[in-house]
C-alpha cells in the first residue's frame, strides 16, 4: 500500500491490529474489536473518528461500511472524555491523530470543522481518567507536532546514544508518551524515499511494534502475522527513539520526536 497521507495511515493501523468488524455505534463512534483465530477479544476496543467512509471485511468475509463520523473539535474532545472515563485500572490507551497541524497556536491540530485543538488541550483530556495507573500513548502523524503536549522529557539522539533531556519542570502524573512525526517548523513528509511520502512515521512505528512483539513474548496468533527475522532486540524508549530516527527519514528533513512523562527503564510500558 502506498504511503499517501492520513487515509492510508488509518488503514495501516486497522490492518495492524486486525480490526475487522463494527460491533457498536455510540455518539457516531465505531467501536470495533480485535479479531483473533477464535473469538473476538473485546478487551481491545477502538473509537474511530474519521472524515471519510471506511470499508472493512467482517468476520463472515463480507464487506462492512463504517460511515464517516463527526470530527469536530467538540466531538474529538467528547470522544476522548468518554474513553478516558471508561478505562479500567491499569488500562492502556492509544490516541492516534493523522491529519493537519499548524505551528502557531500552541502547535494545534486542525479538527474536521476547522477549529484548532492544541496539544495542551489534548493532554488535559487524556489526563481526565479515574485511575492513576492508566497509561497513555499519544501518536501524531502530523506536521509541527513534536513536543506539543509539553511533557517533561524529550528523548534525543546524541553522539553517545539516546538521552532523555528535561524539557519542562511541570509534572505529569499518569504515565504518558507522545510520539510525533515532525518537530516544530517541520513537515510530516519524508523526502528520502521515492520522491517523498506522507505517513512515514505510522509505517515505521508499526514495523517497530511488530518486531518488538516477537521479543516481548506476545501471543503466537499475533507473532505469526509478522516476519520474525525483522525482530528488534531493544524494546525500550531508547530503542524506539533510535529506530524512528534511523528509519523515518534519514535525511533529517522530518525528525520524529519522542516525549515522555517520566524517565522509563526497561521495556516500553505503553503498548
Amino acid at each position: 500500500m502506498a504511503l499517501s497521507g492520513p487515509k492510508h495511515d488509518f488503514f495501516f493501523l486497522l490492518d495492524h491490529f486486525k480490526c475487522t468488524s463494527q460491533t457498536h455505534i455510540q455518539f457516531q463512534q465505531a467501536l470495533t474489536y480485535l479479531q483473533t483465530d477464535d473469538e473476538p477479544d473485546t478487551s481491545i476496543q477502538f473509537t474511530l473518528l474519521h472524515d471519510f467512509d471506511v470499508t472493512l471485511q467482517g468476520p463472515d468475509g463480507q464487506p462492512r461500511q463504517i460511515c464517516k463520523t463527526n470530527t469536530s473539535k467538540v466531538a474529538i474532545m467528547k470522544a476522548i472524555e468518554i474513553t478516558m472515563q471508561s478505562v479500567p485500572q491499569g488500562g492502556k490507551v492509544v490516541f492516534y491523530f493523522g491529519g493537519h497541524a499548524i505551528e502557531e497556536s500552541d502547535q494545534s491540530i486542525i479538527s474536521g470543522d476547522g477549529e484548532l485543538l492544541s496539544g495542551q488541550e489534548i493532554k488535559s483530556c487524556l489526563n481526565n481518567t479515574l485511575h492513576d495507573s492508566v497509561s497513555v500513548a499519544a501518536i501524531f502523524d502530523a506536521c509541527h507536532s513534536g513536543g506539543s503536549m509539553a511533557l517533561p522529557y524529550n528523548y534525543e539522539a546524541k553522539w553517545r546514544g539516546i538521552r532523555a533531556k528535561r524539557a519542562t519542570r511541570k509534572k505529569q502524573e499518569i504515565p504518558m508518551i507522545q510520539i510525533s512525526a515532525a518537530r516544530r517548523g517541520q513537515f510530516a513528509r519524508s523526502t528520502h524515499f521515492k520522491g517523498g511520502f506522507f505517513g512515514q512515521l505510522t509505517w515505521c512505528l508499526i514495523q517497530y511494534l511488530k518486531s518488538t512483539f516477537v521479543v516481548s513474548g506476545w501471543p503466537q496468533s499475533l507473532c505469526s502475522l509478522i516476519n520474525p527475522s525483522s525482530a528488534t532486540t531493544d524494546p525500550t524508549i531508547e530503542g524506539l527513539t533510535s529506530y524512528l530516527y534511523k528509519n523515518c527519514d534519514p535525511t533529517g528533513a522530518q525528525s520524529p520526536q519522542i516525549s515522555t512523562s517520566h524517565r522509563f527503564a526497561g521495556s516500553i510500558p505503553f503498548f
Side-chain angles (χ1 to χ4, degrees):
M1 182 181 295
L3 294 171
S4 304
K7 185 172 183 178
H8 291 84
D9 298 342
F10 185 78
F11 282 105
F12 281 140
L13 289 171
L14 296 186
D15 180 67
H16 173 63
F17 288 107
K18 299 301 167 187
C19 174
T20 59
S21 177
Q22 179 179 349
T23 60
H24 183 63
I25 299 292
Q26 184 179 22
F27 298 105
Q28 293 185 305
Q29 301 160 33
L31 299 182
T32 59
Y33 58 70
L34 174 70
Q35 181 73 26
T36 64
D37 293 337
D38 301 308
E39 297 298 324
D41 180 359
T42 55
S43 67
I44 302 178
Q45 294 187 328
F46 299 79
T47 299
L48 309 178
L49 297 181
H50 45 95
D51 56 4
F52 46 83
D53 293 335
V54 178
T55 301
L56 297 175
Q57 187 178 55
D60 57 358
Q62 297 301 312
R64 305 283 180 84
Q65 187 175 56
I66 302 177
C67 296
K68 62 181 180 180
T69 59
N70 182 359
T71 58
S72 67
K73 177 178 180 176
V74 171
I76 294 172
M77 296 180 72
K78 184 66 175 179
I80 298 174
E81 176 188 352
I82 293 172
T83 298
M84 297 310 297
Q85 288 294 304
S86 65
V87 178
Q89 188 171 352
K92 298 181 179 181
V93 174
V94 176
F95 170 84
Y96 174 87
F97 175 80
H100 295 294
I102 63 172
E103 185 176 0
E104 299 78 14
S105 302
D106 295 326
Q107 297 170 271
S108 298
I109 65 173
I110 304 175
S111 59
D113 59 355
E115 293 292 318
L116 301 181
L117 182 55
S118 72
Q120 298 279 20
E121 289 177 302
I122 293 171
K123 182 176 71 171
S124 179
C125 291
L126 292 171
N127 273 318
N128 188 19
T129 177
L130 302 176
H131 308 288
D132 292 340
S133 58
V134 171
S135 63
V136 176
I139 303 164
F140 295 82
D141 203 335
C143 306
H144 314 295
S145 54
S148 62
M149 294 171 64
L151 295 179
Y153 295 95
N154 290 333
Y155 281 74
E156 304 286 359
K158 304 296 183 181
W159 67 277
R160 286 187 174 182
I162 306 298
R163 294 289 184 269
K165 180 181 178 181
R166 188 86 189 197
T168 177
R169 290 294 173 183
K170 294 181 180 179
K171 291 186 177 181
Q172 165 60 40
E173 297 299 334
I174 70 169
M176 190 175 292
I177 185 172
Q178 179 182 359
I179 303 171
S180 301
R183 296 163 185 257
R184 193 167 200 153
Q186 291 185 336
F187 296 108
R189 183 176 187 273
S190 171
T191 60
H192 183 66
F193 305 97
K194 297 182 179 180
F197 281 128
F198 294 100
Q200 187 66 21
L201 174 80
T202 302
W203 173 264
C204 288
L205 179 60
I206 289 175
Q207 304 315 307
Y208 176 84
L209 292 176
K210 284 180 176 180
S211 58
T212 304
F213 287 165
V214 174
V215 296
S216 298
W218 277 58
Q220 186 59 39
S221 60
L222 286 178
C223 294
S224 62
L225 297 174
I226 69 173
N227 179 9
S229 64
S230 65
T232 179
T233 58
D234 191 359
T236 64
I237 301 291
E238 290 83 0
L240 169 63
T241 304
S242 177
Y243 184 92
L244 293 180
Y245 263 87
K246 292 177 181 178
N247 294 281
C248 194
D249 189 346
T251 68
Q254 175 188 350
S255 298
Q257 186 163 1
I258 312 299
S259 304
T260 64
S261 57
H262 306 80
R263 293 176 183 266
F264 293 101
S267 296
I268 298 174
F270 296 97
F271 301 103

